[in-house]
Amino acid sequence: MEKRIIPCLDVKDGRVVKGVNFEGLVDVASPVERAKIYCSDGADELCFYDITASAEGRILFTDIFRQVAECVTVPLTAGGGISTLDDINMLINCGADKISINSGAIKNPDLIKEAAQEFGSHRIVLAADVKRVGGVFHVFTSGGKIDTGLDAIEWIKSGEDSGAGELVINSIDTDGVKGGFDLPLLKAVCEAVSIPVIASGGAGSIEDFITLFNEIPQIDAGLAASVFHFGEVKIPELKRALRDNGIDVKM
């Protein structure tokens, strides 16, 4: 099965931003311009996250998202402040192919099930921001600021049982550090579920992607932000290197 490469647009106040461990955000670029570049470079999908929507108690900025959706030629996932079926319907109408739900599912544990029944599991992604607390994986909300106390692996399993069609696992511990993906966390998740898993947090080089897919063959996709934003990894070069290492990707 072809592995997917997914750039992530973390958006705040209409601009792409990036930080380390979910903190120290710096301005990067226009989400529209970044989206155009990634599509032309061969990205398999794009993710658009309005990273302060949940903390500010609102849905993501649909005007910016609509501009991105109009210019992309690959599947587009939207996330940020999604808490109702109406929110999901609105974003699909704005051009989202898939909807990523994080804090909204914690506030309403029935949301994933209801969304999967209404729109289909293939459209519903459960995203989890995960950090080690006392050696145990916990789920965090509100941009990584609030520890829910939930065991991450159990929470992720329950999301699959509720009908989520895909998972995005964001490691807060490795986010922006560029020291490699959080392999122990990702292995634990892949051992617990059977739906597609997207790895997020920690990519710093082409070698990190090669290690990810070789060490955990079950992983379906690698998601990254800063290494793509700042040109440290070029998608065409990444895909050639993956193919050279026996990892199947779409060229």
Side-chain angles (χ1 to χ4, degrees):
M1 184 171 57
E2 291 178 341
K3 304 301 184 182
R4 291 171 287 154
I5 301 301
I6 306 175
C8 182
L9 305 173
D10 292 321
V11 178
K12 180 182 180 184
D13 299 328
R15 298 283 294 177
V16 176
V17 297
K18 192 68 188 94
V20 177
N21 304 133
F22 283 32
E23 297 181 351
L25 299 176
V26 296
D27 182 89
V28 175
S30 155
V32 174
E33 293 308 311
R34 284 286 100 189
K36 290 178 180 178
I37 290 170
Y38 293 143
C39 286
S40 65
D41 280 353
D44 296 300
E45 298 184 16
L46 289 177
C47 281
F48 179 110
Y49 289 134
D50 187 328
I51 60 173
T52 59
S54 292
E56 295 172 2
R58 59 172 175 78
I59 187 67
L60 66 80
F61 290 123
T62 53
D63 56 342
I64 299 296
F65 177 76
R66 193 186 297 273
Q67 292 175 41
V68 171
E70 289 174 351
C71 75
V72 302
T73 55
V74 297
L76 178 62
T77 297
I82 297 162
S83 59
T84 69
L85 298 183
D86 286 341
D87 293 341
I88 296 171
N89 188 60
M90 177 179 64
L91 289 172
I92 290 174
N93 288 334
C94 285
D97 297 284
K98 291 185 280 190
I99 304 298
S100 180
I101 303 173
N102 190 330
S103 298
I106 294 171
K107 295 174 183 176
N108 175 13
D110 292 328
L111 181 59
I112 293 291
K113 181 178 180 180
E114 293 170 355
Q117 290 174 341
E118 180 73 17
F119 303 102
S121 290
H122 66 288
R123 284 192 181 272
I124 306 303
V125 180
L126 174 64
D129 297 330
V130 181
K131 184 177 182 179
R132 291 165 177 80
V133 178
V136 179
F137 295 122
H138 279 200
V139 178
F140 280 65
T141 62
S142 300
K145 295 179 176 62
I146 298 175
D147 182 359
T148 66
L150 290 170
D151 179 281
I153 305 304
E154 292 303 316
W155 170 246
I156 290 162
K157 287 169 60 178
S158 72
E160 178 184 34
D161 293 341
S162 294
E166 192 168 73
L167 300 167
V168 173
I169 308 302
N170 307 308
S171 172
I172 298 174
D173 293 314
T174 62
D175 174 73
V177 177
K178 301 181 183 178
F181 291 94
D182 194 333
L183 299 182
L185 168 61
L186 295 166
K187 285 179 180 178
V189 171
C190 287
E191 289 171 359
V193 302
S194 58
I195 57 177
V197 176
I198 298 171
S200 173
S205 66
I206 287 175
E207 288 71 24
D208 290 334
F209 286 90
I210 295 171
T211 299
L212 171 69
F213 294 127
N214 279 334
E215 290 288 325
I216 316 177
Q218 305 98 308
I219 289 288
D220 284 77
L223 181 150
S226 58
V227 291
F228 296 139
H229 298 338
F230 301 121
E232 296 160 275
V233 172
K234 304 287 189 181
I235 294 174
E237 295 173 5
L238 169 58
K239 287 193 167 186
R240 284 194 295 270
L242 290 171
R243 179 155 289 188
D244 289 344
N245 282 268
I247 298 164
D248 193 15
V249 292
K250 181 179 179 180
M251 300 299 290

